[in-house]
Amino acid sequence: MTQQISAVDNHRLDPAELTVLRARLHEDRLFRRQQLQDIAQGANDPVETTYAADLAAHSEIRHKLTVAAQTALAETEAALARMDAGRYGGCGRCGRTISIQCLTVHPQARYCTPCHHFLETQR
């Protein structure tokens, strides 16, 4: 069941913008789930090599791809949860509204651009 959210609840985003962003997040969720399934199925494919180093490298690559896809899926799920809770589009650090330009490029965004840059410099 999809919860109807008003634009006021989601940092005054236009309802049409929210609809488009929600659809993109749902598409990304489907893509990530399929990606994880494909990676898992590929783990059962025989690797055409007899070298242990090649087998280890393939295993490491699969592991890194899995972690990246799981992380992206978690970010998408979190964005959808924020949207359902009426908190979508608000910066998780300062509370200001994340620009529609930023959300259009990265609908999973948790932070406004200044806070994102600040947090990146702290790493």
Side-chain angles (χ1 to χ4, degrees):
M1 180 173 99
T2 302
Q3 183 180 353
Q4 206 58 1
I5 303 296
S6 73
V8 174
D9 292 338
N10 282 293
H11 284 262
R12 295 181 179 81
L13 290 169
D14 179 83
E17 293 168 337
L18 277 173
T19 299
V20 169
L21 292 166
R22 182 181 294 277
R24 288 193 50 213
L25 289 166
H26 280 288
E27 287 175 18
D28 187 66
R29 177 169 47 190
L30 290 173
F31 170 78
R32 296 303 176 180
R33 287 178 176 170
Q34 183 63 52
Q35 184 182 34
L36 286 165
Q37 187 176 23
D38 292 346
I39 293 167
Q41 288 174 348
N44 298 325
D45 293 344
V47 177
E48 296 186 22
T49 183
T50 56
Y51 297 106
D54 287 345
L55 291 173
H58 282 276
S59 178
E60 182 179 349
I61 289 168
R62 266 194 311 277
H63 174 72
K64 287 183 178 189
L65 288 172
T66 299
V67 169
Q70 288 170 336
T71 300
L73 178 58
E75 289 177 5
T76 297
E77 295 286 357
L80 286 166
R82 288 191 304 276
M83 196 175 275
D84 289 344
R87 295 181 288 108
Y88 182 76
C91 179
R93 182 170 178 267
C94 72
R96 288 185 296 230
T97 299
I98 300 170
S99 73
I100 188 61
Q101 293 84 2
C102 180
L103 291 171
T104 299
V105 172
H106 186 63
Q108 299 87 346
R110 291 177 183 259
Y111 306 106
C112 66
T113 302
C115 287
H116 175 78
H117 288 304
F118 173 79
L119 292 169
E120 286 294 312
T121 62
Q122 300 303 304
R123 291 185 179 184

